[in-house]
Amino acid sequence: MVQGDEDAIRGVIHRFNETGMASLDPQWAGGRPRLISPEDEAFIVATATTRPEALEQPFTRWSLRKLAAYLTKNPQRVVQVGRERLRQFPRHHEICFQRTKTWKESNDPDRDAKLARIEHVTSRFPDRVFAFDEFGPLTVRPHLGAGWARRGHPDRLPANYHKLHGVRQFHGCYSVGDDTLWGVVRTRKSAGNTLAALKSIRAARPDGAPIYVILDNLSAHRGQAIRAWAARNKVELCFTPTYSSWANPIEAHFGPLRTFVIAGSDHPNHPVLARRLHDYLRWRNANARHPDVLAAQGRERARVRSEKGIRWGGQHLTPAA
């Protein structure tokens, strides 16, 4: 029926009688026996993901040649492996070269209380929570960027690293509940400009009910005049902890501003740059996400944080995270 040799069929029957169902998957393999054991492979992966300085090596990152040489001369466990085979192990374990990132831990004594207050108001009163921060400095010069182009024919911009027109600051205001972003370009950061921004936020909810504004601890945000005005107008200032600007919801929306308005640009002057910023903001707000979608995404982020044991501030980050 299978057009096989009788001896081959008898061999199958004999193997089945000896090993049972395992005979149907004989695990045949050609070539010489494997020289690198699973324990050696685990040791290679562990070494590759360890900083060389921690192993008393005079460099900050591995290359294939340096890693292979270290494994060959390592007194604890000698592993003889070629570069091409060594290249395959990290790829198999989903390890690749990545940019090193920094993390600044907050030393604010009120860090937990501030983060808890921000999380409370954003989850309980999202339609009355706003965020404020400055985005800058904005300079008038060619900025590197990215875009679609034919292979080998990228867009070119003239080289100019001089700030002939000075710098500006974009004072941005973000409504968490409405997912809308607005702001104005100023010549500098100041308490007066901060107060003007807060008044525009207060005008967005003219019903007189309390609102909550998340902002960082810049001196221009904490003046006595600002605090007195906030108390009179039922505006609670929710300050982020020191070195924790990531806790401000507006920070996530400054990235697209830099990507789609600043990067790859060569604006002739600041008025044109400000006009381009506001054109993008009008487009962005016209295409804002629905509040129900935002609420669902917030619940999903909270669920992921609770499952992974991640608490705001980075204190409980697991290695996998």
Side-chain angles (χ1 to χ4, degrees):
M1 183 175 62
V2 298
Q3 300 295 318
D5 184 74
E6 292 183 4
D7 290 338
I9 300 302
R10 291 191 185 96
V12 172
I13 295 173
H14 289 315
R15 286 193 299 272
F16 181 81
N17 292 334
E18 293 173 359
T19 62
M21 297 299 292
S23 65
L24 301 180
D25 187 14
Q27 301 289 332
W28 286 324
R32 62 184 180 180
R34 184 177 182 182
L35 300 179
I36 299 178
S37 65
E39 292 76 13
D40 291 336
E41 182 175 345
F43 180 74
I44 291 173
V45 173
T47 305
T49 53
T50 302
R51 287 182 64 89
E53 292 175 326
L55 300 175
E56 299 181 354
Q57 299 300 304
F59 31 86
T60 60
R61 50 170 275 188
W62 295 110
S63 67
L64 289 177
R65 183 176 65 85
K66 290 180 174 61
L67 182 57
Y70 175 80
L71 293 171
T72 302
K73 301 176 182 179
N74 178 34
Q76 298 180 355
R77 189 186 192 99
V78 177
V79 180
Q80 296 283 350
V81 59
R83 295 189 197 177
E84 189 56 38
R85 187 71 179 109
L86 183 60
R87 190 194 310 274
Q88 298 172 6
F89 289 127
R91 182 181 302 175
H92 177 71
H93 290 271
E94 298 183 353
I95 298 172
C96 61
F97 272 98
Q98 301 182 41
R99 290 184 179 274
T100 302
K101 296 185 178 180
T102 58
W103 174 262
K104 185 70 173 180
E105 184 60 42
S106 175
N107 58 1
D108 195 324
D110 300 323
R111 182 186 68 89
D112 291 340
K114 291 180 178 179
L115 292 177
R117 184 56 180 170
I118 292 174
E119 189 165 12
H120 175 75
V121 298
T122 53
S123 59
R124 292 288 302 275
F125 318 106
D127 59 331
R128 309 199 67 82
V129 176
F130 298 83
F132 167 76
D133 200 5
E134 294 88 359
F135 170 69
L138 303 176
T139 60
V140 175
R141 62 176 179 83
H143 292 269
L144 296 178
W148 297 101
R150 292 183 59 188
R151 186 183 299 274
H153 294 79
D155 291 337
R156 303 286 183 177
L157 291 176
N160 180 14
Y161 302 98
H162 301 288
K163 302 175 183 179
L164 302 177
H165 299 267
V167 299
R168 299 290 187 273
Q169 298 286 337
F170 175 75
H171 288 59
C173 308
Y174 174 65
S175 173
V176 175
D178 299 335
D179 188 30
T180 55
L181 180 66
W182 73 94
V184 63
V185 176
R186 304 286 192 180
T187 56
R188 61 188 179 91
K189 302 177 183 180
S190 67
N193 292 335
T194 300
L195 184 57
L198 294 177
K199 289 180 178 179
S200 73
I201 292 176
R202 176 73 268 188
R205 296 292 186 271
D207 53 7
I211 63 173
Y212 310 89
V213 181
I214 302 172
L215 66 170
D216 59 32
N217 288 280
L218 186 69
S219 59
H221 301 168
R222 298 183 284 106
Q224 185 61 35
I226 294 176
R227 293 178 182 269
W229 175 89
R232 291 194 306 268
N233 292 273
K234 297 182 179 180
V235 178
E236 180 180 338
L237 303 178
C238 301
F239 292 103
T240 61
T242 307
Y243 305 136
S244 300
S245 59
W246 49 266
N248 193 335
I250 199 174
E251 292 288 345
H253 300 277
F254 283 160
L257 278 181
R258 188 175 301 279
T259 300
F260 296 106
V261 182
I262 305 300
S265 69
D266 186 15
H267 303 301
N269 50 53
H270 280 293
V272 173
L273 173 56
R275 188 159 57 247
R276 296 288 187 271
L277 280 170
H278 288 100
D279 289 343
Y280 173 80
L281 292 178
R282 281 190 290 270
W283 178 90
R284 181 213 173 279
N285 293 334
N287 294 272
R289 294 167 291 178
H290 193 274
D292 293 341
V293 176
L294 293 174
Q297 292 176 346
R299 290 192 296 269
E300 178 64 17
R301 286 193 296 268
R303 182 188 66 81
V304 171
R305 284 201 301 268
S306 63
E307 288 182 355
K308 293 185 177 181
I310 301 175
R311 191 177 70 178
W312 283 29
Q315 291 279 333
H316 297 285
L317 286 176
T318 61

